[in-house]
Amino acid sequence: MSLYTSDNPVFASFSFYAALLGAKTLLMALLTARQRFRKMVSAFANPEDAKMNKGKIKTDDDVERVRRAHLNDLENILPFLIIAFVYVGTGPSLGCAKFLFRLFTAARFMHTLVYAVFVIPQPARAFAFFGGIIANLYMIYAIVTSYALAF
Amino acid sequence: MSLYTSDNPVFASFSFYAALLGAKTLLMALLTARQRFRKMVSAFANPEDAKMNKGKIKTDDDVERVRRAHLNDLENILPFLIIAFVYVGTGPSLGCAKFLFRLFTAARFMHTLVYAVFVIPQPARAFAFFGGIIANLYMIYAIVTSYALAF
Amino acid sequence: MSLYTSDNPVFASFSFYAALLGAKTLLMALLTARQRFRKMVSAFANPEDAKMNKGKIKTDDDVERVRRAHLNDLENILPFLIIAFVYVGTGPSLGCAKFLFRLFTAARFMHTLVYAVFVIPQPARAFAFFGGIIANLYMIYAIVTSYALAF
């Protein structure tokens, strides 16, 4: 019997949080664009963009900060989406799965807030980062032990 | 009943376009390599590569342009693949799903063409970028409204 | 009948290797952090990190090398995870699927070893890179031929 149906509340929950995190990752591009336009004199990466906006090509610290936050999302959110999907197939309890999906989602929104929106001194960002990592590693452990014979 | 079977034409269509977009993303590495070899004197990132090809280590504008297009694919195509997969589970009509998959695929091929193959002035790239974003945001909206109770 | 169930040994095998590769991708962040702390005087990207560790903000060749290996994982492992998942749906033989999953996993672990842990001259890295690419392209070919009518 397939666990990947909208009747399974764990899959429904995964779908909901996957959409939320997918939206968050895509919107980082708009956050970068906002910074590029705010810093117009110095923050375009391509000659055609700089020309269109009468700006200059130069790297800018605030733009680079948002881009690092975006890359960090690719490094963490995209693996999560696949790991969490595979984890749904191991038949976890709804309570445990929902806790992990919410922990991860909260950690990643927090990460971007303290990294690229309101810059807050360390260890704020480290806590947010490890909150996400712990949720991922727990699910990886659950998958590997469920499927150890499939090596 | 699972919607993730080859009997479901929406899943079959997703599978086809996912393979196409996966291939496109992987081939960006070859496009970067082509630029590195064309610009041999100045475009390797590692000493061992430069040595092997009698080139130098230096960043080069045309190589960096292809690398930015590649990163933009990671930022947009990888979220699409997961969002579209989850969207298949909401049971959309075949016509609507196929339209979105084709719009996104066309937009991303166009994006790379105007960004990194034949450089075309803005707003060509912006149109291609937003074509992809709109397909993604529409699917995210459909998922969130389908699974709103799974919060 | 769904192929995405833990009863299907091909899906079980996919799940196992997906968890392994997910873990590997996440751990690249720790490898980067290790290099940043080893090179403390010159290798932090953010003022708040440098301040906390009494280091300086500067790019460093060894840190950048690990970051390039990490980006290369995002460019190759993340597409693999989705391509391999879709490939499971085409109903491949267990032997063939397991061979491809193992080839890819071995190639990517090798890639990081020769790129960022023990730097080994080319063509070691090129072999590892193309081992992964070949597994991906083979699966893409299998998907496209299976679903050619879903165009």
PDB file of all heavy atoms in Angstrom, chain C residues 3 28 43 48 61 72 78-79 92 98 100-101 113 131 147-148:
ATOM      1  N   LEU C   3       4.846   1.810  -7.444  1.00  0.00           N
ATOM      2  CA  LEU C   3       6.200   1.260  -7.249  1.00  0.00           C
ATOM      3  C   LEU C   3       6.902   1.934  -6.077  1.00  0.00           C
ATOM      4  O   LEU C   3       7.990   1.520  -5.688  1.00  0.00           O
ATOM      5  CB  LEU C   3       7.019   1.449  -8.519  1.00  0.00           C
ATOM      6  CG  LEU C   3       6.554   0.598  -9.706  1.00  0.00           C
ATOM      7  CD1 LEU C   3       7.211   1.062 -10.990  1.00  0.00           C
ATOM      8  CD2 LEU C   3       6.879  -0.867  -9.450  1.00  0.00           C
ATOM      9  N   MET C  28      29.249  18.279   3.957  1.00  0.00           N
ATOM     10  CA  MET C  28      30.202  19.206   3.318  1.00  0.00           C
ATOM     11  C   MET C  28      30.262  20.531   4.078  1.00  0.00           C
ATOM     12  O   MET C  28      31.310  21.184   4.090  1.00  0.00           O
ATOM     13  CB  MET C  28      29.794  19.479   1.862  1.00  0.00           C
ATOM     14  CG  MET C  28      29.925  18.301   0.948  1.00  0.00           C
ATOM     15  SD  MET C  28      31.568  17.553   0.916  1.00  0.00           S
ATOM     16  CE  MET C  28      32.489  18.790  -0.014  1.00  0.00           C
ATOM     17  N   ALA C  43      39.801  33.247   7.150  1.00  0.00           N
ATOM     18  CA  ALA C  43      38.877  32.513   6.322  1.00  0.00           C
ATOM     19  C   ALA C  43      37.412  32.618   6.695  1.00  0.00           C
ATOM     20  O   ALA C  43      36.652  31.714   6.395  1.00  0.00           O
ATOM     21  CB  ALA C  43      39.310  31.060   6.302  1.00  0.00           C
ATOM     22  N   GLU C  48      30.435  38.946  11.678  1.00  0.00           N
ATOM     23  CA  GLU C  48      30.032  38.424  12.986  1.00  0.00           C
ATOM     24  C   GLU C  48      30.731  37.101  13.313  1.00  0.00           C
ATOM     25  O   GLU C  48      30.984  36.778  14.463  1.00  0.00           O
ATOM     26  CB  GLU C  48      28.499  38.286  13.094  1.00  0.00           C
ATOM     27  CG  GLU C  48      27.854  37.263  12.184  1.00  0.00           C
ATOM     28  CD  GLU C  48      27.423  37.857  10.841  1.00  0.00           C
ATOM     29  OE1 GLU C  48      28.082  38.816  10.377  1.00  0.00           O
ATOM     30  OE2 GLU C  48      26.466  37.350  10.253  1.00  0.00           O
ATOM     31  N   ASP C  61      42.313  29.851  -0.232  1.00  0.00           N
ATOM     32  CA  ASP C  61      42.277  28.821  -1.286  1.00  0.00           C
ATOM     33  C   ASP C  61      41.730  27.483  -0.811  1.00  0.00           C
ATOM     34  O   ASP C  61      40.949  26.840  -1.510  1.00  0.00           O
ATOM     35  CB  ASP C  61      43.679  28.620  -1.865  1.00  0.00           C
ATOM     36  CG  ASP C  61      44.031  29.740  -2.839  1.00  0.00           C
ATOM     37  OD1 ASP C  61      43.122  30.531  -3.169  1.00  0.00           O
ATOM     38  OD2 ASP C  61      45.193  29.826  -3.261  1.00  0.00           O
ATOM     39  N   ASN C  72      29.663  21.531  -6.282  1.00  0.00           N
ATOM     40  CA  ASN C  72      29.632  20.450  -7.264  1.00  0.00           C
ATOM     41  C   ASN C  72      28.689  19.338  -6.821  1.00  0.00           C
ATOM     42  O   ASN C  72      28.024  18.705  -7.652  1.00  0.00           O
ATOM     43  CB  ASN C  72      31.055  19.913  -7.466  1.00  0.00           C
ATOM     44  CG  ASN C  72      31.188  19.216  -8.800  1.00  0.00           C
ATOM     45  OD1 ASN C  72      30.776  18.070  -8.917  1.00  0.00           O
ATOM     46  ND2 ASN C  72      31.708  19.887  -9.808  1.00  0.00           N
ATOM     47  N   LEU C  78      21.914  16.526  -6.135  1.00  0.00           N
ATOM     48  CA  LEU C  78      20.495  16.881  -6.050  1.00  0.00           C
ATOM     49  C   LEU C  78      19.734  16.473  -7.319  1.00  0.00           C
ATOM     50  O   LEU C  78      18.670  15.856  -7.219  1.00  0.00           O
ATOM     51  CB  LEU C  78      20.327  18.362  -5.718  1.00  0.00           C
ATOM     52  CG  LEU C  78      20.905  18.782  -4.345  1.00  0.00           C
ATOM     53  CD1 LEU C  78      20.775  20.281  -4.145  1.00  0.00           C
ATOM     54  CD2 LEU C  78      20.222  18.047  -3.199  1.00  0.00           C
ATOM     55  N   PRO C  79      20.261  16.763  -8.534  1.00  0.00           N
ATOM     56  CA  PRO C  79      19.576  16.223  -9.720  1.00  0.00           C
ATOM     57  C   PRO C  79      19.488  14.694  -9.686  1.00  0.00           C
ATOM     58  O   PRO C  79      18.458  14.121 -10.009  1.00  0.00           O
ATOM     59  CB  PRO C  79      20.443  16.702 -10.888  1.00  0.00           C
ATOM     60  CG  PRO C  79      21.084  17.945 -10.377  1.00  0.00           C
ATOM     61  CD  PRO C  79      21.342  17.681  -8.917  1.00  0.00           C
ATOM     62  N   PRO C  92      12.599  -0.428 -13.350  1.00  0.00           N
ATOM     63  CA  PRO C  92      13.841  -1.074 -13.796  1.00  0.00           C
ATOM     64  C   PRO C  92      14.087  -2.373 -13.019  1.00  0.00           C
ATOM     65  O   PRO C  92      13.468  -2.596 -11.977  1.00  0.00           O
ATOM     66  CB  PRO C  92      14.913  -0.050 -13.453  1.00  0.00           C
ATOM     67  CG  PRO C  92      14.363   0.671 -12.274  1.00  0.00           C
ATOM     68  CD  PRO C  92      12.874   0.729 -12.482  1.00  0.00           C
ATOM     69  N   LYS C  98      20.402  -1.048  -8.753  1.00  0.00           N
ATOM     70  CA  LYS C  98      21.402  -1.068  -7.673  1.00  0.00           C
ATOM     71  C   LYS C  98      22.783  -0.731  -8.206  1.00  0.00           C
ATOM     72  O   LYS C  98      23.552  -0.008  -7.566  1.00  0.00           O
ATOM     73  CB  LYS C  98      21.433  -2.453  -7.015  1.00  0.00           C
ATOM     74  CG  LYS C  98      20.652  -2.495  -5.721  1.00  0.00           C
ATOM     75  CD  LYS C  98      21.012  -3.729  -4.911  1.00  0.00           C
ATOM     76  CE  LYS C  98      20.388  -3.618  -3.534  1.00  0.00           C
ATOM     77  NZ  LYS C  98      20.446  -4.889  -2.791  1.00  0.00           N
ATOM     78  N   LEU C 100      23.522   1.194 -10.750  1.00  0.00           N
ATOM     79  CA  LEU C 100      23.592   2.637 -11.016  1.00  0.00           C
ATOM     80  C   LEU C 100      23.681   3.440  -9.722  1.00  0.00           C
ATOM     81  O   LEU C 100      24.460   4.394  -9.622  1.00  0.00           O
ATOM     82  CB  LEU C 100      22.369   3.087 -11.820  1.00  0.00           C
ATOM     83  CG  LEU C 100      22.320   2.597 -13.272  1.00  0.00           C
ATOM     84  CD1 LEU C 100      20.933   2.798 -13.858  1.00  0.00           C
ATOM     85  CD2 LEU C 100      23.370   3.314 -14.117  1.00  0.00           C
ATOM     86  N   PHE C 101      22.882   3.057  -8.708  1.00  0.00           N
ATOM     87  CA  PHE C 101      22.906   3.805  -7.440  1.00  0.00           C
ATOM     88  C   PHE C 101      24.284   3.679  -6.776  1.00  0.00           C
ATOM     89  O   PHE C 101      24.808   4.646  -6.224  1.00  0.00           O
ATOM     90  CB  PHE C 101      21.818   3.293  -6.478  1.00  0.00           C
ATOM     91  CG  PHE C 101      20.408   3.434  -7.000  1.00  0.00           C
ATOM     92  CD1 PHE C 101      19.360   2.741  -6.403  1.00  0.00           C
ATOM     93  CD2 PHE C 101      20.113   4.257  -8.084  1.00  0.00           C
ATOM     94  CE1 PHE C 101      18.054   2.865  -6.880  1.00  0.00           C
ATOM     95  CE2 PHE C 101      18.816   4.384  -8.571  1.00  0.00           C
ATOM     96  CZ  PHE C 101      17.788   3.681  -7.962  1.00  0.00           C
ATOM     97  N   LEU C 113      36.750  13.127  -2.072  1.00  0.00           N
ATOM     98  CA  LEU C 113      38.052  12.709  -1.534  1.00  0.00           C
ATOM     99  C   LEU C 113      39.202  13.310  -2.345  1.00  0.00           C
ATOM    100  O   LEU C 113      40.116  13.908  -1.783  1.00  0.00           O
ATOM    101  CB  LEU C 113      38.171  11.192  -1.539  1.00  0.00           C
ATOM    102  CG  LEU C 113      37.543  10.482  -0.344  1.00  0.00           C
ATOM    103  CD1 LEU C 113      37.682   8.977  -0.503  1.00  0.00           C
ATOM    104  CD2 LEU C 113      38.200  10.925   0.971  1.00  0.00           C
ATOM    105  N   GLY C 131      31.946   9.466 -13.878  1.00  0.00           N
ATOM    106  CA  GLY C 131      31.240   8.289 -13.350  1.00  0.00           C
ATOM    107  C   GLY C 131      29.833   8.659 -12.910  1.00  0.00           C
ATOM    108  O   GLY C 131      28.855   7.968 -13.232  1.00  0.00           O
ATOM    109  N   TYR C 147       8.724   7.371 -21.217  1.00  0.00           N
ATOM    110  CA  TYR C 147       7.611   8.312 -21.158  1.00  0.00           C
ATOM    111  C   TYR C 147       7.553   9.197 -22.406  1.00  0.00           C
ATOM    112  O   TYR C 147       6.998  10.297 -22.345  1.00  0.00           O
ATOM    113  CB  TYR C 147       7.742   9.195 -19.917  1.00  0.00           C
ATOM    114  CG  TYR C 147       7.519   8.470 -18.610  1.00  0.00           C
ATOM    115  CD1 TYR C 147       8.567   8.262 -17.717  1.00  0.00           C
ATOM    116  CD2 TYR C 147       6.247   8.001 -18.263  1.00  0.00           C
ATOM    117  CE1 TYR C 147       8.363   7.614 -16.503  1.00  0.00           C
ATOM    118  CE2 TYR C 147       6.043   7.352 -17.058  1.00  0.00           C
ATOM    119  CZ  TYR C 147       7.104   7.162 -16.182  1.00  0.00           C
ATOM    120  OH  TYR C 147       6.892   6.523 -14.988  1.00  0.00           O
ATOM    121  N   ALA C 148       8.114   8.715 -23.522  1.00  0.00           N
ATOM    122  CA  ALA C 148       8.200   9.577 -24.702  1.00  0.00           C
ATOM    123  C   ALA C 148       6.820  10.069 -25.150  1.00  0.00           C
ATOM    124  O   ALA C 148       6.684  11.175 -25.674  1.00  0.00           O
ATOM    125  CB  ALA C 148       8.896   8.836 -25.838  1.00  0.00           C
TER     126      ALA C 148
END
